[in-house]
């Protein structure tokens, strides 16, 4: 027994090719069957070749896409690494300057507070003196604009 397989319907069709068949083919039937399989064979071969080429092209496109993605990812990773390196350098500079910054912060600064306090104290003291003088004057009777009626210097 011999078998034929058509790619078109993807199912195996068994064809009995032995000379011992119950129904004999006429020469016309035999010719049409031969032409059918002669025509279908190259079509199947062409379809198979085109299908394999299409799959190969898709596979190549997928590999190229993955390669581009890896390349893009590598570039992004390189950029991120550069940024991290720059941040680490900046952090190292800050840490290197940290003792100097702490020492500068601990240095006594010239404070203006004592001068300000002294000025405020002087203003308060002057204000108090002025207020005392005003209050004292207000307690004394004002002199009369009239001349004194009694001799100021007594005669003996």
């Amino acid at each position: 027994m011999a078998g034929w397989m058509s790619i078109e319907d993807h199912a195996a069709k068994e064809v009995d090719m032995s000379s011992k068949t119950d129904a004999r083919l006429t020469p016309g039937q035999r010719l049409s069957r031969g032409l059918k399989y002669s025509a279908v064979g190259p079509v199947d071969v062409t379809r198979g070749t085109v299908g394999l080429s299409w799959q190969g092209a898709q596979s190549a496109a997928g590999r190229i896409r993955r390669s581009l993605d890896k390349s893009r990812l590598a570039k992004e990773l390189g950029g991120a690494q550069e940024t991290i390196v720059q941040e680490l350098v900046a952090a190292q500079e800050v840490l290197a300057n940290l003792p100097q910054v702490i020492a500068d912060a601990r240095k006594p600064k010239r404070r203006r507070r004592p001068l300000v306090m002294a000025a405020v104290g002087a203003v308060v003291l002057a204000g108090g003196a002025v207020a005392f003088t005003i209050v004292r004057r207000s307690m004394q009777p004002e002199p009369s604009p009239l001349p004194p009626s009694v001799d100021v210097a007594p005669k003996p």
Side-chain angles (χ1 to χ4, degrees):
M1 285 186 158
W4 287 88
M5 182 171 169
S6 173
I7 297 176
E8 180 178 335
D9 56 10
H10 301 292
K13 292 184 180 177
E14 258 185 60
V15 178
D16 189 11
M17 297 298 284
S18 68
S19 60
K20 298 178 183 179
T21 58
D22 291 338
R24 294 264 179 190
L25 295 175
T26 64
Q29 290 172 334
R30 196 176 296 272
L31 178 63
S32 69
R33 186 177 76 174
L35 288 175
K36 175 185 170 189
Y37 288 125
S38 294
V40 170
V43 170
D44 285 344
V45 168
T46 304
R47 287 180 64 193
T49 303
V50 169
L52 287 175
S53 299
W54 179 253
Q55 286 178 346
Q58 284 180 331
S59 174
R63 280 192 302 253
I64 290 171
R65 188 177 311 113
R66 284 190 299 274
S67 174
L68 287 175
D69 287 343
K70 283 182 182 179
S71 174
R72 187 176 304 127
L73 182 62
K75 287 179 184 177
E76 289 177 4
L77 186 60
Q81 285 175 339
E82 287 178 17
T83 304
I84 290 171
V85 166
Q86 290 172 355
E87 292 294 328
L88 285 175
V89 167
Q92 286 176 346
E93 288 177 8
V94 168
L95 287 176
N97 294 334
L98 190 60
Q100 182 64 33
V101 170
I102 292 173
D104 291 344
R106 288 184 177 173
K107 286 182 182 176
K109 296 180 181 177
R110 181 179 172 202
R111 296 190 178 200
R112 295 183 181 174
R113 188 171 283 170
L115 293 176
V116 171
M117 294 299 268
V120 168
V123 168
V124 168
L125 189 60
V130 169
F132 179 76
T133 306
I134 291 173
V135 169
R136 182 149 186 217
R137 281 189 187 168
S138 67
M139 295 180 105
Q140 292 177 355
E142 292 192 22
S144 175
L146 299 174
S149 59
V150 179
D151 276 338
V152 178
K155 294 183 184 173

